[in-house]
Amino acid sequence: MKKKAVFEEKWLQKWKSLDSHIKIDSYRIFSRYVGEDINILPLEYCATVIEPFLNPKQFWAYYNDKNMFDKIFGTDILPKTIIRNIDGSYYTADYKIYKEKILSLSIASKCIIVKPSIDGESGRGVVKLQKGNGNINLESLRCQFGENFIVQECLSQHPYMSQFNNTSVNTIRVMTYRSLATNEVVIPNAILRVGAEGKDVDNAHAGGMFCGISANGVLGKYMCDYLGNKKKSFNGVDYSNSDFCIPNYNRVKEFAKEVADKVLHHRLLALDIMLDEQGNPKLIEVNVGGFSAWLFQYTNGSAFGQYTDEVISFLMEKK
């Protein structure tokens, strides 16, 4: 990215106070999407310094294991767990060893989601299964998914969210930050993720796209893919001439803060939240590592926004 952007010197002055080797690339790229904002986060510095500082790596594994979500966050806000595989052993939803010798498990739901409980990123390995007879074969699951996975009931999303794509659960990616100054959880950013038509997942790396969400829940006027390609419409839905607004968005933000309050070891989270048929938020994913700042900086603004100086100040102290 060789073409210069406005305020490059101011941006460099701000960020080189932390690292004299900061490259201008992030500012040149993202300023063309969200404007000449010197708070734009340099992605390489986020991954190597800011993330490890805010989210100590020794705790990542615990919060990345989907089989622990019911214990950490409670069952009411999550999709209903049917059965879980932990290190090769089957456990019930309430973490009791599954001792039945019968390999076929009868379930009420005819649609289930199977996903890796660890090391599952960008929707990889997530499979949606239609169970015509209401049964699942545990041995078949083990052969297909190996060890460490979770089986959950499918959730039906709110009709308003289905209009963007009805084959995937379209989630709201909410960035939460526990302030270094006050320990209060705040929400600097949020986006809507929409799956490609016919796909089960909404991840950008699986063909999905995303758009910005304002503080009051209004969607941005364009969609973006993971390479930064912009589109006015996606799946036949025109965003440029519409005033879409996320239903019950104030509750979504409250919900995100409630979830973040239960993660005491980490200050920076990316939460994936869906709205069920009644408009109630449900927690789908908690990301404590590999923070994708580019999602926000392609669509919404600088990642930390008004909290950027606060983060820089504390990093300078630790430096």
Side-chain angles (χ1 to χ4, degrees):
M1 195 73 180
K2 295 182 179 180
K3 188 176 179 181
K4 280 194 171 185
V6 180
F7 302 133
E8 279 193 9
E9 294 305 318
K10 288 185 177 180
W11 186 88
L12 283 169
Q13 183 180 3
K14 184 183 189 101
W15 291 98
K16 282 198 170 185
S17 63
L18 285 172
D19 188 339
S20 60
H21 300 292
I22 286 289
K23 297 178 181 179
I24 195 63
D25 299 24
S26 288
Y27 182 73
R28 287 184 178 177
I29 292 169
F30 295 115
S31 63
R32 283 158 173 76
Y33 292 86
V34 297
E36 292 81 14
D37 183 351
I38 63 172
N39 288 329
I40 286 172
L41 197 64
L43 295 190
E44 72 278 12
Y45 197 77
C46 180
T48 58
V49 178
I50 295 177
E51 280 189 64
F53 173 63
L54 296 177
N55 294 356
K57 285 190 174 182
Q58 63 264 39
F59 302 111
W60 280 17
Y62 180 67
Y63 291 104
N64 273 331
D65 189 344
K66 296 177 183 64
N67 268 320
M68 300 309 299
F69 284 7
D70 287 329
K71 282 186 176 291
I72 299 170
F73 304 109
T75 58
D76 292 344
I77 66 171
L78 292 158
K80 183 178 178 180
T81 297
I82 297 170
I83 199 163
R84 58 183 93 242
N85 187 293
I86 302 175
D87 287 337
S89 298
Y90 280 107
Y91 293 81
T92 62
D94 56 353
Y95 298 93
K96 292 182 173 58
I97 296 175
Y98 187 75
K99 297 180 179 180
E100 299 293 332
K101 295 182 179 180
I102 301 174
L103 294 177
S104 181
L105 179 65
S106 178
I107 58 173
S109 176
K110 290 189 176 182
C111 174
I112 61 173
I113 293 286
V114 187
K115 54 181 122 174
S117 58
I118 55 178
D119 300 327
E121 295 180 354
S122 298
R124 287 190 290 270
V126 177
V127 177
K128 184 178 181 179
L129 300 175
Q130 302 290 339
K131 307 307 296 178
N133 60 3
N135 293 326
I136 53 175
N137 186 284
L138 300 186
E139 190 59 33
S140 175
L141 286 181
R142 190 197 301 272
C143 290
Q144 185 173 354
F145 298 97
E147 299 180 354
N148 293 301
F149 60 86
I150 187 168
V151 182
Q152 297 175 316
E153 287 188 356
C154 292
L155 285 174
S156 296
Q157 66 185 337
H158 193 276
Y160 193 90
M161 306 299 284
S162 288
Q163 69 180 308
F164 306 119
N165 183 37
N166 61 12
T167 63
S168 64
V169 172
N170 308 304
T171 56
I172 304 160
R173 168 67 63 91
V174 180
M175 171 188 175
T176 66
Y177 162 61
R178 185 187 301 277
S179 169
L180 287 156
T182 67
N183 265 338
E184 176 190 3
V185 174
V186 295
I187 298 175
N189 255 307
I191 59 161
L192 172 67
R193 307 192 311 165
V194 177
E197 194 170 7
K199 291 291 184 72
D200 294 331
V201 296
D202 62 359
N203 305 77
H205 289 96
M209 299 191 79
F210 50 94
C211 69
I213 304 176
S214 72
N216 57 358
V218 176
L219 299 190
K221 296 298 183 181
Y222 65 89
M223 299 292 283
C224 210
D225 67 15
Y226 75 99
L227 294 174
N229 297 308
K230 295 166 66 173
K231 288 185 178 181
K232 292 181 179 180
S233 62
F234 183 54
N235 296 335
V237 178
D238 185 357
Y239 292 81
S240 63
N241 293 312
S242 302
D243 293 315
F244 295 119
C245 187
I246 300 294
N248 205 15
Y249 190 61
N250 284 336
R251 175 59 191 135
V252 170
K253 292 190 291 184
E254 291 173 3
F255 178 85
K257 291 179 181 180
E258 290 165 5
V259 171
D261 274 334
K262 296 180 180 179
V263 183
L264 299 179
H265 297 95
H266 300 308
R267 292 183 178 273
L268 180 63
L269 304 178
L271 307 177
D272 293 334
I273 298 168
M274 71 160 290
L275 290 176
D276 68 13
E277 288 183 303
Q278 289 72 44
N280 300 311
K282 296 286 185 180
L283 181 64
I284 301 299
E285 183 68 274
V286 177
N287 300 281
V288 298
F291 181 72
S292 302
W294 50 272
L295 289 164
F296 309 110
Q297 297 191 156
Y298 272 144
T299 55
N300 227 28
S302 56
F304 284 94
Q306 69 187 81
Y307 303 98
T308 305
D309 289 343
E310 175 183 298
V311 174
I312 290 176
S313 176
F314 275 85
L315 283 169
M316 288 292 288
E317 287 183 18
K318 294 292 182 181
K319 184 177 177 182

